[in-house]
Amino acid sequence: MKKKIIVIGSGFGGLATASRLLSQGHDVEIFEKRDKPGGRAYVYEMDGFKFDGGPTVITAPFLFDEIFEAAGKSREDYFELVPCDPFYRIFNAEGEKFDYNGDHDFVLNEIEKWNPADKEGYTKFLKSTKAIFNKGFVELADQPFLSLWDMLKVVPDLIKLQSHQTVFKYISKYIEDDFLRKVFSFHPLLVGGNPFDTTSIYAMIHYLEREWGVHYAMGGTGAIVESLQKLIEEQGGTFHYNAEVDEITIEHGKATGIRLKDSSTHKADQVVSNADVAFTYRHMIPEKERSTWTNRKIERTKYSMSLFVIYFGTKRRYLDSELEHHNIILGERYEELLADIFHDKKLTDDFSLYLHMPTKTDPSLAPDGCEGFYVLSPVPHLDSGTDWEQKAKPYRDAIISFLEENYLPNLEENIVFEHHIDPLHFQQTLNSYKGSAFSVEPILTQSAWFRPHNKSEDVDDLFFVGAGTHPGAGLPGVLSSAKIAEDLICDNDRD
């Protein structure tokens, strides 16, 4: 049965869901608050520079292939993926580097430079992650957890896989060297988690990267957004920009459409929200339609850290530097810094950084002779009470000064374009509760059934996709949530 379905938000979750539902024959309209699609993957363009606003690490590319194949198309005709080698270059506090890729012998040679005894442990660790990957990703990532029974059925497997342990503790069983433990435990930070709190299930990210590689989309991640936009329009989908949703309209407990900030209403048989789940419940669903349990759950949930990101372009190139496409720069403190960010909600003077240098792979993102970067620092969300209108400038200055002194000589005088975002951006522009960057924190007690469900418990015909629902943040998780929404909506049709 063909249905009219409204998708709120055009992040990757919304785009993937829209295309999947169009492939199933439904009529789909997407309503986006901003002036173009992307959500967290919004693209900033100025003076010949192009910066991906959000995700830059592309893994599990087959999840994109599936979307295009369902529409009778080939992904390769829309955008090009190229492998990154190394996947990451990781620097310690002294600037010494470790390269990591999908070549086992290469990684073992890198490990030997630090601690030869850890070569055997790493091989055992990698072998152990295959079982975690097969259960956590292959079997469970695209399955809904709508009832407690759904969760209880997998508890024996979770116990067997030692999911009660944290990622860092799990890795420490196999790796002795302190720096190497950091090298192989940082992955939860890519999805908003603290390696010292996040369930060891997330060690599967390491296996996922080894299985399919780390990729870059030529033209930037924004090229994927543009390709999905083009595909959806070819499929007959409709986009509405500068169209902020004020309320999900509900009749007799069922979602019936939306009302925009301009008071216009749009009817639908079903609604899919790619907006932040907490924001959707708190601001788009009338309080009388929310259960007391839902309100309490939103307040008690732990939310991910936020981010401070500087996008900058330089009038010179830095190809002679030691930097690669993806760089992780660890500070002197690791566990203590993460405790400050996640537990104490405290902004400190020190930091660890992710430095993205896409123009090393794709010079088209900057004018001739120029370089484009983005540097990201995890920071606490807005419960910290930090006054970002006052703190942003000195925090920016400290990061730029650090990069200039250690990695990018004469950086300040060579910057010709610059833009930054902070927790206020996540709260005010992206409608993210508490200004968190990845929504619900990925700890064991907030995984699977314990996360906000893909199908609303309070409102019929309302579904959720994106970072805040199951299975979680990161492109593989978000794209998997779209598969879940498609299955739930189509199963509902058959019912």
Side-chain angles (χ1 to χ4, degrees):
M1 181 187 301
K2 183 175 183 177
K3 289 189 175 182
K4 170 68 175 295
I5 300 172
I6 283 176
V7 176
I8 302 171
S10 65
F12 275 116
L15 294 171
T17 303
S19 181
R20 285 181 171 276
L21 293 174
L22 286 161
S23 293
Q24 292 284 354
H26 294 294
D27 180 9
V28 181
E29 292 189 56
I30 301 176
F31 289 80
E32 167 57 47
K33 172 185 175 182
R34 303 179 81 177
D35 61 346
K36 59 184 178 182
R40 282 167 169 73
Y42 190 90
V43 175
Y44 299 97
E45 297 182 68
M46 186 172 288
D47 298 334
F49 290 95
K50 182 182 290 187
F51 300 93
D52 288 320
T56 59
V57 179
I58 310 299
T59 56
F62 71 90
L63 289 169
F64 287 111
D65 295 343
E66 289 178 353
I67 295 169
F68 287 87
E69 288 167 4
K73 307 283 187 176
S74 174
R75 186 269 303 164
E76 290 85 350
D77 293 335
Y78 287 78
F79 64 91
E80 177 188 2
L81 288 175
V82 297
C84 295
D85 188 6
F87 295 167
Y88 310 95
R89 174 164 284 179
I90 302 133
F91 295 90
N92 68 5
E94 288 71 43
E96 299 167 308
K97 62 182 184 290
F98 181 98
D99 286 349
Y100 151 55
N101 65 12
D103 183 326
H104 190 60
D105 289 335
F106 176 87
V107 176
L108 291 180
N109 286 335
E110 288 289 291
I111 291 173
E112 187 165 4
K113 298 174 185 177
W114 294 84
N115 185 27
D118 280 330
K119 291 164 62 177
E120 182 180 358
Y122 174 74
T123 301
K124 291 179 178 178
F125 160 70
L126 190 63
K127 184 177 180 180
S128 77
T129 60
K130 182 175 182 178
I132 298 174
F133 170 80
N134 285 336
K135 177 58 64 174
F137 187 82
V138 176
E139 293 186 31
L140 302 180
D142 59 1
Q143 299 300 311
F145 283 79
L146 302 182
S147 70
L148 183 57
W149 174 240
D150 292 333
M151 187 70 186
L152 292 175
K153 287 188 294 185
V154 302
V155 166
D157 291 315
L158 296 178
I159 293 172
K160 183 180 179 181
L161 295 173
Q162 304 176 60
S163 60
H164 62 284
Q165 294 188 3
T166 67
V167 168
F168 190 86
K169 185 175 181 180
Y170 186 82
I171 286 167
S172 296
K173 293 193 309 177
Y174 299 96
I175 304 293
E176 297 175 357
D177 184 81
D178 181 61
F179 175 62
L180 294 180
R181 287 176 172 179
K182 297 172 184 176
V183 164
F184 297 119
S185 72
F186 76 85
H187 284 93
L189 289 162
L190 302 178
V191 294
N194 180 351
F196 294 91
D197 296 332
T198 300
T199 168
S200 62
I201 291 292
Y202 282 85
M204 69 180 177
I205 298 176
H206 187 87
Y207 187 89
L208 184 147
E209 290 180 341
R210 288 288 299 264
E211 183 75 3
W212 286 296
V214 170
H215 301 268
Y216 169 78
M218 296 302 289
T221 309
I224 307 179
V225 173
E226 292 174 1
S227 296
L228 287 170
Q229 176 191 18
K230 179 182 177 183
L231 175 66
I232 289 166
E233 290 174 340
E234 289 173 350
Q235 291 176 285
T238 304
F239 286 87
H240 302 270
Y241 301 116
N242 301 305
E244 186 172 1
V245 176
D246 187 48
E247 183 179 323
I248 296 170
T249 55
I250 300 168
E251 295 178 13
H252 308 298
K254 291 188 175 185
T256 60
I258 58 173
R259 179 165 49 250
L260 301 182
K261 290 287 188 182
D262 65 8
S263 298
S264 64
T265 58
H266 302 263
K267 292 292 186 180
D269 297 304
Q270 292 170 324
V271 176
V272 178
S273 179
N274 183 212
D276 182 76
V277 176
F279 184 90
T280 302
Y281 274 116
R282 286 167 55 87
H283 298 286
M284 294 184 186
I285 298 174
E287 188 170 1
K288 65 181 181 179
E289 305 289 352
R290 304 195 304 263
S291 67
T292 303
W293 166 244
T294 297
N295 289 331
R296 284 205 304 263
K297 191 173 182 179
I298 290 170
E299 294 302 325
R300 292 175 179 175
T301 293
K302 293 182 179 180
Y303 294 87
S304 84
M305 81 294 197
S306 192
L307 303 172
F308 185 88
V309 188
I310 310 168
Y311 310 91
F312 60 96
T314 62
K315 62 185 178 183
R316 60 159 284 190
R317 302 211 65 184
Y318 284 91
L319 296 179
D320 56 345
S321 73
E322 289 199 321
L323 298 173
E324 285 290 346
H325 186 118
H326 298 293
N327 305 277
I328 308 291
I329 303 172
L330 300 173
E332 293 184 5
R333 301 189 310 146
Y334 187 60
E335 183 175 6
E336 300 85 356
L337 175 62
L338 293 173
D340 286 337
I341 294 169
F342 284 88
H343 301 163
D344 299 331
K345 309 292 188 294
K346 180 171 64 176
L347 182 68
T348 59
D349 293 333
D350 61 328
F351 37 72
S352 288
L353 306 172
Y354 162 63
L355 180 61
H356 185 220
M357 186 180 175
T359 42
K360 178 153 190 166
T361 303
D362 185 2
S364 73
L365 298 183
D368 288 343
C370 297
E371 207 85 78
F373 299 87
Y374 100 24
V375 61
L376 172 159
S377 176
V379 296
H381 62 54
L382 289 172
D383 275 2
S384 69
T386 303
D387 182 351
W388 281 103
E389 293 185 357
Q390 295 295 320
K391 289 288 187 180
K393 180 63 166 60
Y395 197 71
R396 172 265 179 211
D397 290 347
I399 291 172
I400 295 297
S401 177
F402 170 82
L403 292 177
E404 181 170 88
E405 291 174 11
N406 296 280
Y407 296 96
L408 299 169
N410 304 312
L411 174 59
E412 188 77 72
E413 67 184 54
N414 280 286
I415 293 176
V416 291
F417 171 82
E418 182 179 340
H419 173 68
H420 85 268
I421 63 173
D422 57 38
L424 293 177
H425 167 86
F426 287 96
Q427 181 190 56
Q428 297 168 2
T429 302
L430 297 174
N431 292 343
S432 184
Y433 189 47
K434 297 180 183 287
S436 70
F438 301 89
S439 193
V440 177
E441 188 178 345
I443 55 179
L444 182 60
T445 54
Q446 295 184 168
S447 299
W449 180 74
F450 297 110
R451 289 184 81 78
H453 297 170
N454 304 89
K455 187 178 187 298
S456 174
E457 299 165 272
D458 294 349
V459 181
D460 288 338
D461 292 324
L462 173 61
F463 303 86
F464 290 98
V465 296
T469 188
H470 172 69
L475 284 178
V478 167
L479 295 176
S480 293
S481 75
K483 294 176 69 173
I484 294 172
E486 175 195 8
D487 290 342
L488 289 172
I489 289 171
C490 292
D491 285 346
N492 192 51
D493 292 344
R494 287 188 280 271
D495 294 341

